[in-house]
């Protein structure tokens, strides 16, 4: 098939590589334009952009498709199908209609649950036991299109980084299977029960120790790697990258022992990997050798 591929972050790279390895004719790759990144604010190409260049594929980076010239260039490709994976742009109906078989989206949730920007994070945060990937026929609505194929996986104790990588690999394989015989995967309308995965804000990642430990632990996994669940003490920010639930009780936000067990609204939690602002991530025992969180200390935890 003559494919136009549209994607930006690491999540989309396995699908691009799988299509290339399967022998499909990838006639163009679309990705978000290079953005300032890191402390130097140097313009940096997206993960898909860099992967495409390594594969020797042409890359286009329009700001959007409101420009008629960009629409005309896309139409001139004469693509059989477009594959969209976390592209980061809303495609107008005119673009969706241009490929012979329309546009397929690789979506990281079990639609209609978690339509929107942050399906992996919201599934973990909500305590869902399973999630998956769906290959969806795109239409103008937000993740409303009919679904052609589904593959599920258990969430267990995975964080967003681990689960996103797993879903990306699952989605890449599923996509190749679908494209081998598109007619064998008819588009079926989504069921009822819509929920929306709104974009994660940095302030959401602030830990409120008056919540139950289970809720906090899920939030820590959901916001790993970004934006990172955190608390502040004496105007210093501490990110918790992983934690365990401890069956102990105390006043919310109080340090209960010399292992930095923190009392929550119900039960307690103990960091496993923690990071002080401006410092590298550390295992808890290493962190406590240079940072004082004595028993009885009351943490700042007001939202």
């Amino acid at each position: 098939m003559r494919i136009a591929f549209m994607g930006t972050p690491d999540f989309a790279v396995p699908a691009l590589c799988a299509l290339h390895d399967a022998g499909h004719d990838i006639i163009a790759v679309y990705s978000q334009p290079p953005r300032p990144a890191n402390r130097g604010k140097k313009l940096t190409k997206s993960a898909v952009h860099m992967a495409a260049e390594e594969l020797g594929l042409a890359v286009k980076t329009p700001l959007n498709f409101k420009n008629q010239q960009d629409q005309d260039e896309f139409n001139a490709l004469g693509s059989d199908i477009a594959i969209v994976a976390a592209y980061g742009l809303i495609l107008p109906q005119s673009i969706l209609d241009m490929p012979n078989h329309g546009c397929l989206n690789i979506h990281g949730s079990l639609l209609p649950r978690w339509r929107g920007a942050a399906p992996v994070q919201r599934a973990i945060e909500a305590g869902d036991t399973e999630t998956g990937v769906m290959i969806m026929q795109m239409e103008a609505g937000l993740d409303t299109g009919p679904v052609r194929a589904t593959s599920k996986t258990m969430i267990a104790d995975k964080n967003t980084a681990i689960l996103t990588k797993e879903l990306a690999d699952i989605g890449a394989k599923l996509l190749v299977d679908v494209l081998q015989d598109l007619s064998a995967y008819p588009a079926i309308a989504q069921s009822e029960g819509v929920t929306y995965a709104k974009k994660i804000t940095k302030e959401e990642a602030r830990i409120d120790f008056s919540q139950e430990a289970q809720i906090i632990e899920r939030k820590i996994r959901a916001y790993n790697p970004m934006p990172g669940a955190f608390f502040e003490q004496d105007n210093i920010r501490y990110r918790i990258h992983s934690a365990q639930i401890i069956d102990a009780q105390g006043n919310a936000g109080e340090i209960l022992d010399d292992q930095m067990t923190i009392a929550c609204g119900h039960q307690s939690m103990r960091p496993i990997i923690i990071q002080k602002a401006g410092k590298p991530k550390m295992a808890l025992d290493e962190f406590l050798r240079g940072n004082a969180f004595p028993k009885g200390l009351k943490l700042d935890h007001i939202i």
Side-chain angles (χ1 to χ4, degrees):
M1 276 192 169
R2 288 172 55 80
I3 294 174
F5 187 89
M6 312 176 87
T8 298
D10 290 325
F11 176 80
V13 171
L16 175 63
C17 295
L19 292 174
H20 181 269
D21 292 345
H24 290 286
D25 183 10
I26 303 173
I27 53 179
V29 174
Y30 284 79
S31 193
Q32 288 281 296
R35 309 285 191 197
N38 303 318
R39 292 184 178 179
K41 300 301 181 182
K42 179 180 178 181
L43 285 179
T44 303
K45 296 174 181 177
S46 74
V48 164
H49 193 148
M50 291 187 286
E53 288 186 337
E54 290 180 4
L55 295 172
L57 301 172
V59 180
K60 300 178 183 293
T61 58
L63 287 174
N64 53 55
F65 282 94
K66 295 179 181 179
N67 186 298
Q68 188 62 47
Q69 181 178 344
D70 291 330
Q71 293 190 30
D72 291 343
E73 287 182 359
F74 185 81
N75 193 33
L77 294 172
S79 57
D80 292 318
I81 199 166
I83 303 301
V84 183
Y87 181 28
L89 286 181
I90 296 175
L91 301 177
Q93 190 65 51
S94 57
I95 294 293
L96 298 177
D97 292 340
M98 285 176 184
N100 295 332
H101 296 287
C103 301
L104 294 184
N105 176 247
I106 308 171
H107 185 79
S109 82
L110 300 178
L111 294 167
R113 186 160 177 79
W114 304 127
R115 293 177 181 173
V120 179
Q121 293 94 326
R122 296 304 184 189
I124 294 173
E125 184 180 27
D128 292 2
T129 58
E130 67 175 4
T131 187
V133 174
M134 286 185 160
I135 306 298
M136 178 189 69
Q137 191 78 42
M138 294 181 69
E139 56 184 34
L142 177 63
D143 299 330
T144 59
V147 174
R148 289 187 176 270
T150 302
S151 184
K152 298 180 180 181
T153 189
M154 301 303 294
I155 293 178
D157 61 353
K158 301 164 190 170
N159 62 29
T160 289
I162 293 170
L163 188 56
T164 298
K165 177 62 170 65
E166 180 180 345
L167 293 174
D169 293 338
I170 291 171
K173 181 181 184 303
L174 186 62
L175 176 66
V176 171
D177 290 343
V178 169
L179 292 183
Q180 283 181 344
D181 185 3
L182 199 60
S183 63
Y185 295 89
I188 299 173
Q190 294 181 31
S191 61
E192 297 181 354
V194 175
T195 57
Y196 288 95
K198 65 179 181 178
K199 185 177 180 180
I200 305 293
T201 66
K202 289 185 178 180
E203 194 55 32
E204 278 185 276
R206 183 187 297 272
I207 297 171
D208 178 2
F209 291 110
S210 68
Q211 294 182 317
E212 295 182 10
Q214 185 180 60
I215 293 173
I216 295 172
E217 192 275 336
R218 291 201 305 254
K219 177 178 285 191
I220 289 168
R221 287 189 287 116
Y223 298 168
N224 183 347
M226 293 296 294
F230 70 92
F231 68 93
E232 290 179 330
Q233 184 69 13
D234 297 328
N235 296 316
I236 299 174
R237 180 165 294 193
Y238 298 87
R239 284 187 178 181
I240 300 180
H241 294 272
S242 62
Q244 63 184 124
I245 296 172
I246 303 297
D247 190 15
Q249 200 65 44
N251 295 320
E254 181 183 356
I255 303 295
L256 299 181
D257 56 26
D258 60 1
Q259 291 299 305
M260 202 177 170
T261 301
I262 306 169
C264 303
H266 176 66
Q267 297 183 303
S268 301
M269 56 142 287
R270 181 182 297 153
I272 297 173
I273 302 295
I274 189 169
Q275 182 177 19
K276 185 177 182 178
K279 302 293 183 180
K281 293 186 253 186
M282 295 182 181
L284 180 63
D285 58 350
E286 179 184 7
F287 172 81
L288 289 176
R289 285 198 289 270
N291 296 274
F293 281 83
K295 180 180 178 180
L297 177 68
K298 188 69 178 293
L299 299 181
D300 302 331
H301 69 283
I302 299 173
I303 296 298

